[in-house]
Amino acid sequence: MAACLHCELEVPADSRGGDAFCCPGCQAAYAVIGELGLGRYYQRRRLDPAAAPLRPDEDGPPADYATHIKREEDGVHVLHLMVEGLQCAACVWLIESVLRRQPGVVAARLNMTTRRLVLKWRGEAAGAEALTGSVNALGYRLVPYDPAALDAESARDERELLRALAVAGFAAGNVMLLSVSVWAGHSQGMGPATRDLLHWISALIALPAIAYAGVPFYRSALTVLRAGHVNMDVPISLAVILTAAMSLYETASGGLHAYFDSAVWLLFFLLIGRYLDRRARGRARQGAEHLLALGARAVTVVMPGGERHLLAPTKVAPGMAVAVAAGERIAVDGIVTGGASDVDTALISGETVPTTVGAGDRVFAGTVNLSNPLVIETGAVGEDTLLGEIVRLMEAAEQGRARYVALADRVARFYAPAVHGLAVAAFLGWFLIGGAGWQQALLIAVSVLIVTCPCALALAVPVVQVVASGRLLRQGILVKSGTALERLARIDWVAFDKTGTLTEGRPELLDAGTIDPGDLALAASLAGASTHPLARAISRAAPGAMVAAGVKETPGCGLAADMVDGEVRLGSRSWCGASDGVGDGGGPELWLARPGKGPVRFAFADSPRNDAAAVVADLGRRGLGLTLLSGDRQGTVAAVADAVGIDDRHGVLMPAEKCRRLADLAEQGHRVLMVGDGLNDAPALAAAYVSLSPSSAADVSQTAADVIFQGARLAPVTEVITVAGRAESLVRQNFALAFLYNGITVPLAMAGLVTPLVAAVAMSASSLVVIVNALRLGRP
């Protein structure tokens, strides 16, 4: 046995006498420590065996991970980190691969858009530093996840890319003008002195621009090379540097040709693609946060002494007492410790009727306090709340690996070594066998490096997913699963739930025209003072009614006001004195009670969404089968089905029966999309081929669904199906374009028929074609 040169763990001795390392992470760390001149660390370890292992950033303050580590029920530790220095998909693969090889690691998933790394491992919580050290050794920096810091870094990177793009664009335009002059001079007898002068002017413009504009690529390439790896930026950097160096040599020796224009135009086109990709990812991330943040605002915290302070939501800690005024959105998850009120929980439960809460009841962030002030003991804040979970759904969408993404990863993994091998083969072939000079052979090798840059292949899938996610997010549609769009493109059947899905989930007063106008006006005069959904329904039915003075609301009971004849009440059956069984037609109801007269019942029902019939008709025209599955009574189900145009309807279904119906359709060869929102729909949503749920659905249903949509319309169902079909087509097109480009240009480059300038234009054009092709998905 031997000891690992970095961490000193025992490892099998190398029979060849080479250096011993327990893992690639330690090997990379050892190399970086040597390059940084920190060899004193190993000397210190030998003198003091108790010294802790060194991380590459030992001389700086160590990151404090302890407060950010969470322990799950099965003993797995979870840490959310932000990765600085992330450049491309190859970086994602490299970091995930290194971490997964570390002892005890259960999962390591890195989201390229948000740059959030979710690391899970078994063992001691203190092991976080050893695990993160293996990534730090690769040249990246891991810090506890902080959205504000992420936004700041994204803005900084965008500014850097934009400045580099401006410099490269300025140089490319001017150098190209000089190159045109040189090309024209060849046919018009331009003298060598004039040609050399134009070449030197080109060099004075191009070389500083190449040095500055290429920094994003050079930095990334140098980082991975130090760690003994390669990524896409390595062949890019080699091509640019070799082209510039060879052009400078040709200029200094009075040669006929210089290719400064090729180098700067290559950088210019690459920077355009990288900047557009960064902007698209930033908009997708911001779209998720803005769509689902639900208006986070300052929180009123009640201090132990009774004084109240306004704090930002990020400053509120578990255990603090938070005051929530009537009409205010609750910003934390917690337990009610003071007050009683009605809370609109439609966001998490889909219930149209508010829930009455009092001391000891649990409330959630994102719900709305309707009637009276509440004091809540904070149980969860920030990312631990329901809102934090919703934002993470967006990240889960990108972290899910579709089969196309997996294919792109596998191809990209071996692409860089293959590119370098082709370039070396081209150089040696032309120099040793073809009889070309070293300049010409090097020129051909550079052309091979440029044309084989895998930008188009790397962008084939991610750019489509980003554009598709951005388009759907702008319309209030959140894709949770990475494979959802692929599955949606293949469905041939749609099954709907009724309540809250085909219907609005908002109660409306039934038979308003048959109710005595005096009773309706009196009820509306009380209802106008409340924000309760049933009271609002009465107000909508009598819009001209004046609100009575002195209306008082009793949570869980109803409204009351003193009038000339005595107290008038509008509320629950028991509170208004109505006998059980009298006028009991089922469904939501309110009762009006006044002195000397019997109680009057107001019944409510859910109406179909305004566009439900149009959406169902559109799905039918697409050739999709349609089914309505509901747990409601057959008569109610039939009425809604007739209203929207669904012939195949099934009522009085238990959750297991809905699943059996979906299984029957699957056995018949159908791929079924299930659209539902209720708690009883969760098993069916999970069992379906693919599933959608409105944002008003129960929490468990949102968890089971692949896609969540917001708003009162049903049109997102057809929109997501349309986008899925177009995304499938565009992914196929992008792969075809990428492979077609390489199939044509690589043989031409190795045959010496492509100059570096033509190679730069062709490579950049292929990337732009892929991006522009994907951007077509962003149009309606």
Side-chain angles (χ1 to χ4, degrees):
M1 299 293 289
C4 173
L5 292 181
H6 176 65
C7 68
E8 299 187 359
L9 290 177
E10 289 190 352
V11 294
D14 192 330
S15 59
R16 297 168 298 179
D19 293 334
F21 298 98
C22 66
C23 66
C26 282
Q27 184 175 5
Y30 184 85
V32 172
I33 287 171
E35 292 167 4
L36 294 177
L38 299 178
R40 69 189 187 284
Y41 159 67
Y42 296 108
Q43 181 179 7
R44 186 193 73 183
R45 286 285 298 175
R46 288 189 290 271
L47 295 175
D48 181 11
L54 176 78
R55 302 177 326 186
D57 61 346
E58 185 192 32
D59 289 336
D64 181 14
Y65 300 123
T67 58
H68 301 275
I69 297 174
K70 298 180 181 178
R71 181 182 174 89
E72 296 183 340
E73 294 181 358
D74 57 357
V76 173
H77 292 93
V78 181
L79 179 61
H80 292 258
L81 298 163
M82 184 174 69
V83 182
E84 296 181 357
L86 195 64
Q87 298 293 334
C88 61
C91 298
V92 174
W93 170 81
L94 176 62
I95 292 171
E96 289 182 349
S97 299
V98 169
L99 284 173
R100 287 170 182 162
R101 294 175 184 176
Q102 306 304 310
V105 172
V106 176
R109 297 293 290 162
L110 176 57
N111 183 288
M112 185 171 175
T113 294
T114 62
R115 277 171 276 176
R116 175 187 285 195
L117 170 65
V118 181
L119 179 60
K120 298 183 179 181
W121 74 96
R122 297 185 185 277
E124 297 297 328
E129 293 195 7
L131 296 175
T132 56
S134 63
V135 177
N136 291 332
L138 298 175
Y140 304 97
R141 182 167 179 259
L142 298 184
V143 295
Y145 185 77
D146 182 358
L150 174 61
D151 290 339
E153 185 190 6
S154 297
R156 183 177 63 252
D157 290 345
E158 284 187 14
R159 288 194 298 269
E160 180 187 32
L161 287 173
L162 191 58
R163 288 193 297 267
L165 179 61
V167 170
F170 171 81
N174 285 278
V175 172
M176 182 56 71
L177 289 175
L178 295 170
S179 298
V180 170
S181 300
V182 173
W183 298 338
H186 282 304
S187 61
Q188 298 178 10
M190 176 185 291
T194 305
R195 183 194 63 219
D196 291 345
L197 176 62
L198 293 178
H199 281 170
W200 278 113
I201 296 175
S202 297
L204 290 174
I205 297 173
L207 292 178
I210 291 171
Y212 179 80
V215 167
F217 304 100
Y218 307 150
R219 182 171 55 229
S220 173
L222 185 60
T223 297
V224 296
L225 286 174
R226 282 178 172 175
H229 299 275
V230 293
N231 65 1
M232 297 177 189
D233 291 333
V234 173
I236 292 173
S237 301
L238 283 175
V240 171
I241 293 172
L242 288 176
T243 301
M246 188 181 65
S247 298
L248 183 60
Y249 174 83
E250 288 291 309
T251 300
S253 60
L256 293 176
H257 302 288
Y259 295 96
F260 295 112
D261 48 5
S262 301
V264 292
W265 275 101
L266 173 62
L267 282 178
F268 180 63
F269 282 121
L270 288 172
L271 286 167
I272 289 176
R274 183 155 293 188
Y275 180 75
L276 290 177
D277 180 67
R278 183 64 58 87
R279 289 284 294 175
R281 291 182 181 277
R283 284 199 300 269
R285 184 184 69 251
Q286 292 168 6
E289 293 171 353
H290 290 308
L291 177 68
L292 300 171
L294 298 176
R297 63 186 68 183
V299 178
T300 303
V301 175
V302 182
M303 306 307 290
E307 63 273 17
R308 300 192 175 196
H309 298 287
L310 288 178
L311 295 181
T314 55
K315 300 295 184 181
V316 180
M320 287 186 174
V322 173
V324 183
E328 185 178 357
R329 190 177 297 278
I330 298 173
V332 300
D333 291 357
I335 304 296
V336 176
T337 58
S341 181
D342 293 323
V343 175
D344 181 0
T345 61
L347 176 70
I348 60 174
S349 69
E351 290 292 336
T352 57
V353 180
T355 301
T356 301
V357 298
D361 292 329
R362 185 172 181 79
V363 293
F364 297 94
T367 57
V368 180
N369 179 25
L370 295 177
S371 49
N372 291 312
L374 292 174
V375 177
I376 301 168
E377 180 182 349
T378 303
V381 294
E383 293 196 354
D384 294 329
T385 65
L386 174 64
L387 296 185
E389 179 63 25
I390 292 175
V391 172
R392 283 195 293 274
L393 295 178
M394 175 59 187
E395 298 175 10
E398 286 197 37
Q399 288 179 353
R401 296 292 183 89
R403 59 187 177 91
Y404 289 127
V405 176
L407 174 61
D409 284 348
R410 289 195 299 271
V411 173
R413 190 174 306 173
F414 305 104
Y415 202 91
V419 166
H420 298 154
L422 287 174
V424 171
F427 176 80
L428 295 177
W430 279 95
F431 183 65
L432 299 178
I433 302 174
W438 71 267
Q439 298 97 329
Q440 182 65 22
L442 182 60
L443 189 68
I444 294 172
V446 168
S447 298
V448 172
L449 280 175
I450 295 174
V451 299
T452 53
C453 179
C455 295
L457 179 64
L459 291 171
V461 176
V463 73
V464 173
Q465 290 188 337
V466 168
V467 174
S469 298
R471 171 175 171 171
L472 294 174
L473 278 170
R474 287 193 297 271
Q475 301 180 59
I477 304 170
L478 177 64
V479 182
K480 289 173 49 185
S481 169
T483 61
L485 291 177
E486 292 179 19
R487 286 178 280 142
L488 280 164
R490 295 174 173 80
I491 64 167
D492 60 3
W493 205 278
V494 182
F496 286 100
D497 173 50
K498 183 185 72 68
T499 305
T501 303
L502 284 175
T503 63
E504 293 182 348
R506 184 182 72 173
E508 295 291 346
L509 183 62
L510 293 177
D511 303 323
T514 64
I515 299 175
D516 181 88
D519 292 340
L520 181 58
L522 180 59
S525 68
L526 274 68
S530 174
T531 58
H532 194 286
L534 298 186
R536 289 178 176 178
I538 292 178
S539 297
R540 289 194 296 270
M546 299 294 292
V547 179
V551 178
K552 299 179 181 179
E553 184 167 0
T554 303
C557 296
L559 305 167
D562 292 325
M563 297 190 176
V564 177
D565 296 331
E567 184 182 57
V568 177
R569 291 184 175 184
L570 178 68
S572 65
R573 172 187 292 266
S574 59
W575 194 57
C576 292
S579 302
D580 293 337
V582 176
D584 188 1
E589 62 179 8
L590 286 178
W591 289 81
L592 177 67
R594 49 195 171 164
K597 295 186 178 181
V600 177
R601 181 175 182 266
F602 295 86
F604 305 86
D606 233 349
S607 301
R609 295 180 186 246
N610 292 334
D611 63 341
V615 168
V616 169
D618 185 10
L619 295 175
R621 286 192 295 270
R622 300 183 187 210
L624 299 175
L626 298 167
T627 296
L628 175 56
L629 306 177
S630 177
D632 285 351
R633 298 185 304 271
Q634 291 286 6
T636 304
V637 173
V640 173
D642 290 339
V644 300
I646 296 179
D647 295 327
D648 184 29
R649 72 285 299 269
H650 304 270
V652 200
L653 294 179
M654 299 297 291
E657 293 171 324
K658 289 186 178 183
C659 292
R660 279 197 296 271
R661 177 58 184 164
L662 294 178
D664 292 341
L665 291 171
E667 289 178 359
Q668 297 169 20
H670 296 296
R671 297 184 177 96
V672 185
L673 163 64
M674 177 68 194
V675 187
D677 77 318
L679 183 65
N680 62 336
D681 293 321
L685 291 169
Y689 183 71
V690 64
S691 55
L692 275 75
S693 181
S695 61
S696 58
D699 189 38
V700 66
S701 295
Q702 292 190 43
T703 301
D706 296 298
V707 180
I708 296 173
F709 63 91
Q710 292 193 344
R713 300 168 62 246
L714 201 60
V717 175
T718 56
E719 173 66 11
V720 73
I721 294 173
T722 299
V723 171
R726 292 184 60 187
E728 172 94 352
S729 176
L730 288 174
V731 166
R732 292 177 181 274
Q733 292 174 22
N734 281 351
F735 270 116
L737 289 170
F739 286 115
L740 177 64
Y741 158 77
N742 282 281
I744 294 174
T745 57
V746 171
L748 292 177
M750 295 194 69
L753 302 177
V754 178
T755 66
L757 177 60
V758 174
V761 173
M763 183 279 302
S764 302
S766 69
S767 299
L768 290 177
V769 166
V770 167
I771 293 173
V772 171
N773 189 47
L775 289 176
R776 294 191 297 127
L777 185 58
R779 299 197 304 267

